[in-house]
Amino acid sequence: MVTPSLLGPTAGRIPDVQRIAVLRANALGDFLFALPALDALRAAYPEAEIVLLGAPWHAKLWRDRPGPVDRVLVVPPAPGIRTPEAGEAESSMDDFVAAARSEGFDLAVQIHGGGANSNPLVSGLGARVTVGLRADDAPPLDRWIRYVYYQHEVIRYLEAVALVGAPATTIVPALAVTDADRAEATQVLGPPDRPRVALHPGATDTRRRWPAERFGEVARELHGDGYEVLVTGTPTEREVVDRVVAAAGVPVRPQVGTLSLGGLAACYAGCALVVSNDTGPLHLAAAVGTPTVGIYWVGNLINTANPLRGRHRPICSWVVHCPVCGVDCTPGIYPHRPGDGECPHRDSFVSDVPTIEVLEAARELLQTQGRAPS
């Protein structure tokens, strides 16, 4: 039976489902976009156990955290599945699949990507029903929806779980902040003596990085407005954080690797605003309810920008040609357009975004949310 729902028709639920496997083993932002789909599964199958097939960091994040995930099984690193974390011991995919089959999954859900590598893994779990995404080069599942690159990630996964009778209950990713998270953030940062804002100038893909000097300008202006400014980053982003601190020329507080992921969530939840490139911490801040200003390349704006404007402002670069060699970078998706679509350069595609646009958006949100310093 097909029934209407928030996002269109929803197929009937699978009967007698006691255990659901969901493959989503990639990075922080990618996982956060899947939370509404997990919420939909929880609402549709309230008695079932939802087991995330994820990475070691997922297991740490979901330890004692309320939400739609009951348990995490760490899937081994494999091509198209995930890369190993630092210091991670080797493990066998064959052993993992054998152990997962013994779990007796009734439903296996692939919301990991196009499916060339992930659909065979999901099919190998031995579930009664498999469902998920399928690109042209991927084998089918029992129920599947076409993977089309330019689609908002949240909606993509909601469409997939609707195939097994799990209609959307929300389109907004939300992550609970625990008392342990708050205690860690307080221990590291201390209590604020004025409103805090956080800047995150890193991103794994350097093409998504706004220049560090511009972040420094924002830090200087917001410090002058009376805010305490934090600059967050992972240990691999220390160099760019140092450049922001130097460019700011005023007292700011760098936080590089000082907080766990849960502690960072609590840090952002205590901030009046987060300004960031399009990367996991930006989406983490939005998921814990903090207003954000995000700097986006136009293609990523389509796929990942928060759709709400009461608390979020995406600032967009419309550049589609490589700033170094001028190659049109769209033909990889649109092959009938001129150009080869590929180049070796990784220079920023968002450096044309002016500082004043980011500052105006930041100050507007701070004022409308009532978070201006007294």
Side-chain angles (χ1 to χ4, degrees):
M1 182 178 70
V2 176
T3 58
S5 71
L6 179 66
L7 299 178
T10 299
R13 286 196 294 271
I14 307 301
D16 303 320
V17 171
Q18 299 180 19
R19 185 164 293 128
I20 303 171
V22 180
L23 176 61
R24 187 65 175 164
N26 30 24
L28 174 60
D30 300 313
F31 175 71
L32 293 171
F33 300 139
L35 284 174
L38 288 162
D39 288 331
L41 287 169
R42 167 58 64 224
Y45 298 95
E47 304 303 321
E49 181 186 31
I50 297 179
V51 180
L52 176 70
L53 308 187
W57 73 263
H58 292 102
K60 295 176 184 176
L61 179 67
W62 284 103
R63 189 175 298 131
D64 302 321
R65 187 176 305 277
V69 174
D70 295 308
R71 183 161 54 97
V72 176
L73 284 182
V74 175
V75 63
I81 303 300
R82 69 175 185 89
T83 56
E85 295 186 6
E88 183 179 353
E90 291 187 13
S91 54
S92 164
M93 182 62 77
D94 290 340
D95 291 346
F96 171 82
V97 171
R101 287 181 70 91
S102 70
E103 296 265 353
F105 290 112
D106 300 291
L107 176 60
V109 181
Q110 191 280 98
I111 51 174
H112 186 77
N117 297 286
S118 48
N119 284 3
L121 172 57
V122 167
S123 295
L125 299 175
R128 287 195 288 123
V129 178
T130 59
V131 64
L133 303 163
R134 184 190 182 194
D136 291 338
D137 60 347
L141 301 168
D142 294 326
R143 302 182 183 184
W144 56 271
I145 190 167
R146 178 66 64 195
Y147 179 93
V148 179
Y149 183 78
Y150 279 124
Q151 179 183 19
H152 199 284
E153 299 290 308
V154 169
I155 306 302
R156 189 195 309 282
Y157 310 130
L158 285 170
E159 282 200 297
V161 298
L163 297 175
V164 287
T169 59
T170 180
I171 61 170
V172 180
L175 184 74
V177 178
T178 68
D179 290 341
D181 296 336
R182 296 185 186 93
E184 178 191 346
T186 299
Q187 181 179 19
V188 171
L189 300 172
D193 57 7
R194 50 191 169 140
R196 282 177 176 150
V197 297
L199 312 183
H200 190 89
T204 304
D205 188 341
T206 54
R207 293 172 298 178
R208 288 188 275 117
R209 288 189 181 183
W210 199 44
E213 293 69 28
R214 309 266 179 89
F215 275 105
E217 293 176 36
V218 172
R220 183 167 58 252
E221 291 291 329
L222 293 181
H223 176 272
D225 290 346
Y227 293 94
E228 180 184 14
V229 179
L230 311 178
V231 186
T232 60
T234 65
T236 60
E237 295 167 341
R238 183 177 299 276
E239 184 269 339
V240 71
V241 169
D242 289 345
R243 286 171 55 200
V244 173
V245 172
V250 295
V252 298
R253 297 182 63 183
Q255 300 296 317
V256 179
T258 59
L259 293 160
S260 70
L261 188 53
L264 185 65
C267 164
Y268 288 158
C271 287
L273 179 74
V274 170
V275 180
S276 174
N277 297 315
D278 168 31
T279 188
L282 174 69
H283 308 298
L284 177 64
V288 299
T290 301
T292 67
V293 176
I295 297 101
Y296 286 86
W297 175 64
V298 60
N300 298 130
L301 181 87
I302 296 168
N303 281 35
T304 67
N306 193 294
L308 306 181
R309 293 295 168 265
R311 298 169 66 82
H312 306 288
R313 297 288 190 277
I315 310 298
C316 178
S317 169
W318 297 88
V319 171
V320 295
H321 293 84
C322 172
V324 178
C325 66
V327 163
D328 183 343
C329 291
T330 61
I333 303 299
Y334 301 112
H336 300 293
R337 302 185 186 187
D340 60 16
E342 296 293 338
C343 74
H345 304 112
R346 289 297 179 265
D347 293 58
S348 174
F349 271 58
V350 298
S351 60
D352 63 318
V353 171
T355 305
I356 187 61
E357 289 183 7
V358 174
L359 270 173
E360 286 178 349
R363 284 168 168 156
E364 180 194 7
L365 283 174
L366 289 165
Q367 292 170 1
T368 58
Q369 298 297 318
R371 304 297 293 271
S374 59

